[in-house]
Amino acid sequence: MSRRAFTLIELLVVIAIIAILIGLLLPAVQKVREAANRAKCSNNMKQLGIGLHSYHDVNDGLPPIQGFTLGWGLWPRLLPFIEQDNLYRQIRFDVNVTCQAMALVRQARLSVLLCPSDPKSSSMNMNRTMPVAGCPQIAGDPGVGDGATATQYRGYHPSYVGSYGDGFNNIASAATDPYGGDGAKARYGCGGCASNNTVTPSGPCPEPGQGYGGGQYNRGLFDYLGTSTPLRFAAIEDGLSNTIAIGHTEWSTSSNSSIWMTSTGSVHGTSLPPNWKLPICINTAGMSVDACGGQTSSWMGRGFNSRHPGCIMVNLADGSVRTIKESINQFTYNALGSRAGGEVIGDY
């Protein structure tokens, strides 16, 4: 008895049916995966928010950031409050972040600081730069780079950063950046003014910022430069539930100076809309914001960004985690950034 084999047409039909089924199932699988990633990300931010409150209760204020002095950022101070006490004990806050003695700290991978939706969350970066140079505090420790070049360092960028609020924009001209210049205060309701660190009060900008929201007129929760006293929750006059404490970032929009334990890149703000730079950066393979899209200023990456489709996630100062859509009104968004702007915030 002869055996009948499949014909070529039958095989092609079967293959076509399988392809159609895969095409139907793949979006569903991706949606399920993203839902799981978003749940994990929300849990990370919740832990960080609880850690922030615990730190505040113990120290009567929020964690300090050490700007361009020793270079330590927001998250190292929080380590004992997010179940990372052993790593915390390895840190010497009296020495520079560049010291080779701190290399193990720089290269630590903390899952609570990494969003699973970020494609580079599990990759060690080799091109990080530092806010300070050398290691004068430890004899014999040169504090040289251990990354791709002698001036670059290995480490993980964080998916979460503190908020400097709605203040400061160092792009002088609105022709270069629509959110630039002192006029941004009138156009978008933000404190993004006093370009180029002049820090001189003027009519359009009575309370100028300095260095990504730093200085005496800091409008958010964290002073990147470390020049002002760490805030207490009592200073958030707009209400804890109306003020962003922690926001989202991701690798392609973060500058090369962004590493989890340093001051540089440790705070972003609301002066730029959610995910403003993300589409261009995603399409510029291998680039961080310093080069992505042909832009030369790392200001372009100091907004909040995420790979969660159409939105970002933030942790408000009351500890709650909220999703903010890309379509949010910019005045409302900046009102969520400022801690004492006196704005009325409606639904968002």
Side-chain angles (χ1 to χ4, degrees):
M1 187 171 98
S2 61
R3 297 180 63 186
R4 183 173 179 270
F6 286 107
T7 65
L8 178 59
I9 293 177
E10 289 172 331
L11 287 173
L12 291 175
V13 169
V14 171
I15 292 172
I17 292 172
I18 293 174
I20 291 171
L21 290 174
I22 291 175
L24 293 172
L25 288 173
L26 191 57
V29 171
Q30 290 174 335
K31 286 183 179 180
V32 171
R33 181 178 298 153
E34 171 55 25
N37 287 346
R38 190 176 297 192
K40 171 62 175 173
C41 185
S42 176
N43 184 60
N44 286 347
M45 297 195 89
K46 188 69 176 177
Q47 289 186 59
L48 294 174
I50 293 172
L52 208 59
H53 275 258
S54 298
Y55 181 97
H56 183 280
D57 290 345
V58 172
N59 296 280
D60 197 30
L62 296 172
I65 298 175
Q66 291 180 290
F68 293 105
T69 53
L70 297 175
W72 293 100
L74 167 62
W75 302 127
R77 303 279 184 180
L78 213 64
L79 290 175
F81 304 95
I82 54 174
E83 299 183 348
Q84 293 292 335
D85 196 56
N86 289 338
L87 181 61
Y88 178 79
R89 292 195 185 100
Q90 306 302 312
I91 297 177
R92 285 186 56 182
F93 287 104
D94 62 328
V95 305
N96 286 358
V97 293
T98 51
C99 293
Q100 287 184 354
M102 297 293 99
L104 290 178
V105 175
R106 287 196 300 268
Q107 296 166 27
R109 183 180 183 275
L110 304 178
S111 61
V112 71
L113 294 178
L114 300 173
C115 173
S117 289
D118 190 330
K120 290 261 184 158
S121 63
S122 60
S123 301
M124 173 82 74
N125 292 272
M126 301 295 291
N127 64 342
R128 304 292 93 179
T129 57
M130 288 287 173
V132 291
C135 182
Q137 301 90 354
I138 300 179
D141 189 324
V144 296
D146 52 15
T149 71
T151 58
Q152 293 179 328
Y153 296 80
R154 304 174 63 193
Y156 290 92
H157 77 87
S159 296
Y160 313 109
V161 287
S163 172
Y164 65 66
D166 65 341
F168 189 72
N169 186 334
N170 70 351
I171 303 299
S173 171
T176 304
D177 169 5
Y179 299 93
D182 289 351
K185 180 175 179 63
R187 289 192 303 273
Y188 305 109
C190 66
C193 53
S195 326
N196 304 321
N197 287 342
T198 56
V199 203
T200 304
S202 64
C205 184
E207 297 181 344
Q210 180 183 12
Y212 303 117
Q216 61 177 317
Y217 300 118
N218 174 261
R219 295 172 62 88
L221 269 63
F222 300 100
D223 178 359
Y224 157 71
L225 290 177
T227 54
S228 54
T229 304
L231 288 176
R232 300 177 65 247
F233 282 137
I236 305 176
E237 298 176 12
D238 288 346
L240 301 188
S241 61
N242 293 322
T243 307
I244 295 173
I246 300 168
H248 210 302
T249 187
E250 64 88 58
W251 81 273
S252 72
T253 58
S254 297
S255 71
N256 288 347
S257 61
S258 177
I259 186 171
W260 78 268
M261 33 69 75
T262 65
S263 60
T264 44
S266 65
V267 292
H268 292 187
T270 60
S271 296
L272 293 171
N275 294 337
W276 183 61
K277 236 357 219 181
L278 187 61
I280 294 176
C281 291
I282 289 177
N283 294 324
T284 309
M287 295 293 189
S288 65
V289 74
D290 294 277
C292 126
Q295 302 293 352
T296 58
S297 173
S298 61
W299 157 256
M300 302 297 184
R302 303 297 175 161
F304 296 124
N305 298 272
S306 84
R307 293 295 181 103
H308 301 306
C311 67
I312 61 168
M313 299 181 75
V314 300
N315 188 288
L316 299 179
D318 65 357
S320 63
V321 177
R322 295 290 297 269
T323 296
I324 295 180
K325 296 180 179 178
E326 292 176 357
S327 58
I328 187 173
N329 177 276
Q330 189 62 22
F331 277 89
T332 301
Y333 190 47
N334 280 321
L336 288 168
S338 67
R339 70 174 187 272
E343 311 95 339
V344 176
I345 300 175
D347 294 333
Y348 60 93

